[in-house]
Amino acid sequence: MKRWMLLIMLGYTTWGCSPGFKIQTDTPFPGDFTDYRTFKFFNPANMPASNFSFDEEAKQVIFDAVADEMKARGYKSIQQADLMLKIYGGTKSSSEIRSNRSYDPYYDPYNRFGNYYNDPFNSPRNESQKESVIIIDMIDTHLDKVVWQGVGIGSFGKNQAIDALKLREAISAIFAAYPHTAGG
């Protein structure tokens, strides 16, 4: 019995500490990853502002985290590199105003069954959230083709800030799906 409780508590702890990013990867063009040993970054100053809308602090955290992940896999950062990393994405806020569900067949105006979403005064609720997207393209500089792409999409509540720790966790989660090391 104690083992089951420990496993359930461990599962909830792991689930609660997850970065909140959904990760997707793709290999649009199959490159020869045994030839790649070096990397460089595409300059985000050359991109339109709509392609990279993180602030300067978040941008620095993202680029540092990606460089750390690449170096941990044995890649070296040089100007005449085999791989060019193009990072883009940003954060957008969305807001939706909803009224209660007073036309719901299960509507309980006296709240006898604990349905706290139904409001007898029909006052609107603001359901806001922030969504961040980080896209990392690895481009073979000799072929000028994307050989690997990692995407992280995360939703946060309206008052939840996207801090450096969450960005680093998202980058780590994206690179957990990257199976290659330098020269391998």
Side-chain angles (χ1 to χ4, degrees), residues 46-79:
N46 297 339
M47 281 193 275
S50 62
N51 286 354
F52 198 87
S53 63
F54 287 106
D55 62 0
E56 287 299 317
E57 181 182 334
K59 179 173 81 169
Q60 190 62 43
V61 168
I62 291 168
F63 276 78
D64 289 345
V66 170
D68 292 344
E69 291 287 339
M70 291 297 285
K71 289 176 183 175
R73 286 167 173 71
Y75 292 94
K76 291 184 179 28
S77 177
I78 64 171
Q79 194 57 35

Side-chain angles (χ1 to χ4, degrees), residues 11-26:
Y12 279 121
T13 304
T14 305
W15 177 65
C17 295
S18 67
F21 275 79
K22 297 176 199 159
I23 307 301
Q24 300 172 343
T25 61
D26 189 20

Side-chain angles (χ1 to χ4, degrees), residues 30-168:
D32 185 12
F33 284 90
T34 58
D35 292 340
Y36 305 136
R37 289 178 172 47
T38 58
F39 75 97
K40 68 179 179 178
F41 287 107
F42 180 79
N43 187 359
N46 297 339
M47 281 193 275
S50 62
N51 286 354
F52 198 87
S53 63
F54 287 106
D55 62 0
E56 287 299 317
E57 181 182 334
K59 179 173 81 169
Q60 190 62 43
V61 168
I62 291 168
F63 276 78
D64 289 345
V66 170
D68 292 344
E69 291 287 339
M70 291 297 285
K71 289 176 183 175
R73 286 167 173 71
Y75 292 94
K76 291 184 179 28
S77 177
I78 64 171
Q79 194 57 35
Q80 299 298 323
D82 303 321
L83 289 172
M84 179 171 54
L85 302 180
K86 184 177 180 183
I87 302 171
Y88 48 102
T91 301
K92 70 175 185 172
S93 296
S94 64
S95 180
E96 185 174 345
I97 307 297
R98 292 185 178 185
S99 63
N100 76 347
R101 304 177 318 170
S102 61
Y103 296 105
D104 188 344
Y106 302 107
Y107 175 64
D108 179 20
Y110 302 109
N111 199 15
R112 292 178 298 224
F113 303 110
N115 189 354
Y116 295 105
Y117 293 111
N118 288 326
D119 181 5
F121 303 109
N122 197 21
S123 57
R125 299 190 311 271
N126 182 358
E127 297 192 6
S128 301
Q129 67 179 4
K130 292 179 185 174
E131 183 175 83
S132 291
V133 178
I134 301 172
I135 303 168
I136 302 170
D137 285 346
M138 289 189 185
I139 302 166
D140 185 322
T141 56
H142 305 295
L143 301 174
D144 199 31
K145 297 203 184 250
V146 176
V147 293
W148 187 83
Q149 182 181 62
V151 179
I153 302 169
S155 294
F156 302 98
K158 65 181 174 183
N159 295 328
Q160 199 172 9
I162 301 165
D163 60 355
L165 180 63
K166 290 177 187 169
L167 289 173
R168 284 193 169 276

